[in-house]
Structure formats: C-alpha cells, structure tokens
Amino acid sequence: MPTGADVIRSGRKYLGVPYVSGTPDPCTREKMDCDCFTKRTFNDLGIKLGWWTNQKNYGRSISLSNRRVGDLLFFSEDGSGRLTHVGIQSYNGKILHASSYYKKVCESDLKYMRGLYAARRLV
C-alpha cells in the first residue's frame, strides 16, 4: 500500500506541467487541470480514481484538523458547498495541485487558498 510520501513523490513528477481549464479528455501528461492531476497521481500508484466529482466517494472522510500528507483536499472556493477544486496535502502546510492561478502543477501554501471544504484519505 502506498504511503503519503509515495503520493507526493508521484505527484511531484508533474510539477511544471501546464494547467488547462476543464478536464482534458483523455487526461494527458502534457496539460492538466486539478482533476486530471489527482487522477494521474493516484493512478500511477495503482489506485484507480474516477473523475474528481466522484473522488469524494473514494477512501474515507477525515476531519480537516486530522489531514496528513497524501490526503485529497476538496475546495468550495465560493463557499456554496459545490466542489470547485481538488489537490493533495503536502508537507509543511503546502498543497500539491494543478493551479489555475499559477497556470501549472505546483506546490503552494495552503494558507492562501480559500474554501477548504473536505478531506479524504486513500493511503
């Protein structure tokens, strides 16, 4: 079973991949949105995920205060409860994600992101 460290190592392979709005079909290594990024990261470890709207059904729900490295993080950036973004908890208060702001897959400070809504543990 992969560890949280394995998840981050897998996701970091995609650092710098250009962001594209809307899930590309097929999900390629040349451009990604947040959905494609999380799907590829976990699929590379043998954990088959569907598209992000279904990812909220994988693993188990955990409280936001108990999240750890490798957990999926879901955002409702407008506060409505409608999920708008997904990423992976990284080290030292960071998130690994395909960012529309930075226009690429990156690791950024979680404290600057709005609307952290839910977390799920797969590993």
Side-chain angles (χ1 to χ4, degrees), residues 13-86:
K13 292 185 302 192
Y14 298 109
L15 286 172
V17 171
Y19 172 85
V20 62
S21 180
T23 304
D25 191 20
C27 178
T28 70
R29 295 175 186 263
E30 289 77 40
K31 56 186 178 181
M32 302 181 164
D33 69 355
C34 61
D35 182 19
C36 178
F37 167 71
T38 54
K39 183 177 178 179
R40 276 217 171 258
T41 295
F42 282 92
N43 284 1
D44 289 351
L45 295 168
I47 300 170
K48 302 300 180 199
L49 295 181
W51 295 112
W52 85 294
T53 53
N54 293 324
Q55 287 177 11
K56 64 184 180 205
N57 299 320
Y58 290 95
R60 64 183 166 93
S61 180
I62 56 166
S63 72
L64 294 177
S65 62
N66 287 326
R67 65 186 193 273
R68 62 182 187 217
V69 172
D71 289 341
L72 279 173
L73 303 180
F74 295 92
F75 294 82
S76 176
E77 295 159 301
D78 63 3
S80 70
R82 182 181 63 85
L83 299 179
T84 56
H85 189 60
V86 62

Side-chain angles (χ1 to χ4, degrees), residues 59-117:
R60 64 183 166 93
S61 180
I62 56 166
S63 72
L64 294 177
S65 62
N66 287 326
R67 65 186 193 273
R68 62 182 187 217
V69 172
D71 289 341
L72 279 173
L73 303 180
F74 295 92
F75 294 82
S76 176
E77 295 159 301
D78 63 3
S80 70
R82 182 181 63 85
L83 299 179
T84 56
H85 189 60
V86 62
I88 301 168
Q89 177 75 47
S90 189
Y91 297 98
N92 303 315
K94 296 200 180 275
I95 181 173
L96 193 55
H97 62 132
S99 169
S100 61
Y101 181 80
Y102 291 107
K103 305 289 187 223
K104 63 183 177 181
V105 174
C106 64
E107 207 162 1
S108 56
D109 288 318
L110 186 56
K111 67 182 176 185
Y112 296 116
M113 295 185 65
R114 292 187 333 250
L116 181 57
Y117 186 78

